Amino acid sequence: MVFPTPDDGAGPNPAEAPIEFTSDTFLMEQALRQARRAFQAGEVPVGAIIVQGSTIIARAHNQVETLRDATAHAEMLALSQAQEALGDWRLTDCDLYVTKEPCPMCAGAIVHCRIRRVIFGVGDPKGGAAGGLLNLLQQPTLNHRSEITPGVLEAESLAILQSFFRAAREAAKEKRSSPTQENPDLS
């Protein structure tokens, strides 16, 4: 059996294309891995990573329920990790990849940390602060503006959120429809 080689005119095989470890797609896949960890922990499945150059310096996922902390969003936890890794609160040469558009709280922290670029998967028209509901990341009156790249692996980011909320609705419906045990002491 003869297999095509690059010299036989068959052209490159896309399955053998080199992997770019710094591409937005590859890096968003890393954020999606974090979102899957959140899903498995029963958290809203949002994942985030922070990259400096070609190095991932922080990885996080939502841990609001686990930590019982309303501020434990993936972005906030990743920002804290990155600051610790660099020994500085200024993250001016860092990029944040997050599976869902940041909320106003996270966007405020992103601006204060001076993140260079924010890349997100799925937008949030009802509560997003990177162009969805509002755009804090490019607010002209603030001291810093981040570049925004929306829609990277959008379908995958949306799918994991939809799956999580579908399962949560089904669990709530099942809980409501299950027969309640009568209290024998009331007889």
Side-chain angles (χ1 to χ4, degrees):
M1 178 175 269
V2 178
F3 294 97
T5 64
D7 298 328
D8 68 5
N13 180 349
E16 296 175 7
I19 297 171
E20 290 186 47
F21 294 106
T22 57
S23 74
D24 285 348
T25 301
F26 175 81
L27 293 167
M28 187 61 75
E29 286 171 352
Q30 303 310 301
L32 276 164
R33 290 177 69 183
Q34 293 299 310
R36 287 185 204 98
R37 291 181 71 186
F39 189 104
Q40 291 169 348
E43 298 278 356
V44 174
V46 176
I49 66 165
I50 295 180
V51 177
Q52 182 186 45
S54 60
T55 304
I56 297 173
I57 61 169
R59 292 176 173 87
H61 59 275
N62 274 1
Q63 295 187 50
V64 171
E65 300 299 333
T66 303
L67 299 176
R68 294 185 177 124
D69 179 354
T71 68
H73 290 195
E75 302 95 320
M76 300 294 283
L77 298 171
L79 290 169
S80 292
Q81 285 180 22
Q83 291 169 43
E84 181 70 25
L86 298 181
D88 193 352
W89 61 267
R90 293 172 197 86
L91 304 174
T92 54
D93 59 347
C94 296
D95 300 331
L96 169 72
Y97 290 79
V98 62
T99 57
K100 181 179 170 290
E101 181 179 353
C103 72
M105 173 185 67
C106 294
I110 290 164
V111 168
H112 285 298
C113 291
R114 296 174 172 82
I115 289 285
R116 176 179 52 202
R117 185 169 165 238
V118 175
I119 304 92
F120 65 85
V122 64
D124 182 359
K126 293 182 180 179
L133 176 65
L134 61 139
N135 190 348
L136 289 177
L137 297 182
Q138 296 178 333
Q139 180 64 35
T141 58
L142 297 178
N143 66 338
H144 176 77
R145 284 172 284 294
S146 298
E147 181 183 335
I148 301 170
T149 304
V152 176
L153 295 182
E154 181 176 22
E156 293 88 338
S157 298
L158 178 61
I160 193 169
L161 286 164
Q162 288 176 330
S163 178
F164 176 82
F165 287 112
R166 184 178 312 112
R169 284 190 303 273
E170 288 171 5
K173 182 179 178 182
E174 187 174 301
K175 187 176 179 181
R176 285 190 307 268
S177 67
S178 67
T180 58
Q181 294 181 353
E182 292 190 30
N183 188 340
D185 295 334
L186 297 177
S187 307

